[in-house]
Amino acid sequence: MSAASKITLGMAVTVSTAIIGYVHYKQSADRLKLHDGVLRDVEQQQRRKHENTYALQQQIDITKQLKAQETSTPDKNLVSEPAPCKCKCCTESLGRPTSLAGCSKQPQQKQHQQARAMESGGEEEATSGAPTRKDEI
């Protein structure tokens, strides 16, 4: 075997060994990176879980405080339901009185307000709006 062929064979074996070694090293490094990513994801999930638990506990505490305030203060914050509208159009169309907000005759809303004002005895509120005919109410 000549010297040139021995050198060529030695170089080919060396380069092949280097390539195989590099591929194995790179594969190991990639596996470590992937494993580190999984660990980061687990840490993130745990951190989010703790943050959500903390936020939930704060909401529970605030709810308890609000309930304590509700029981200690009068019921002036409660919203009462509107009085039923007893206009002819509401009573005739539905067969029962309905609230002004639930009235199917939206263009006649001023008339409904005036009729309710007259029923409650508020003459000035009834005349403050647009003039109406008594037979329409």
Side-chain angles (χ1 to χ4, degrees):
M1 200 174 200
S2 69
S5 61
K6 289 180 183 178
I7 293 173
T8 305
L9 179 64
M11 291 290 287
V13 169
T14 306
V15 170
S16 297
T17 305
I19 290 173
I20 291 171
Y22 175 75
V23 168
H24 283 292
Y25 169 76
K26 184 70 173 162
Q27 218 174 23
S28 298
D30 288 344
R31 283 186 187 153
L32 287 175
K33 283 183 182 179
L34 288 174
H35 185 66
D36 290 341
V38 169
L39 293 177
R40 275 195 316 266
D41 288 345
V42 169
E43 288 174 2
Q44 261 185 347
Q45 287 175 350
Q46 288 177 349
R47 187 174 55 244
R48 285 181 188 160
K49 183 179 177 181
H50 289 295
E51 289 173 358
N52 289 341
T53 304
Y54 180 73
L56 180 64
Q57 186 61 40
Q58 283 183 332
Q59 288 177 350
I60 290 170
D61 292 342
I62 291 171
T63 303
K64 286 179 183 177
Q65 289 175 357
L66 289 175
K67 285 184 180 180
Q69 285 179 356
E70 282 181 3
T71 57
S72 66
T73 58
D75 293 332
K76 64 183 177 182
N77 293 334
L78 294 178
V79 178
S80 62
E81 292 185 24
C85 182
K86 298 177 184 175
C87 299
K88 284 183 180 180
C89 66
C90 289
T91 308
E92 289 173 0
S93 66
L94 297 175
R96 59 179 164 71
T98 177
S99 67
L100 182 59
C103 179
S104 60
K105 311 280 186 184
Q106 288 298 325
Q108 297 177 354
Q109 192 170 10
K110 283 189 178 184
Q111 293 175 357
H112 291 282
Q113 289 173 346
Q114 291 170 355
R116 287 180 65 197
M118 292 181 82
E119 288 173 1
S120 65
E123 292 286 332
E124 14 344 289
E125 291 181 32
T127 59
S128 65
T132 60
R133 296 189 330 209
K134 294 214 181 234
D135 58 347
E136 289 181 353
I137 295 178

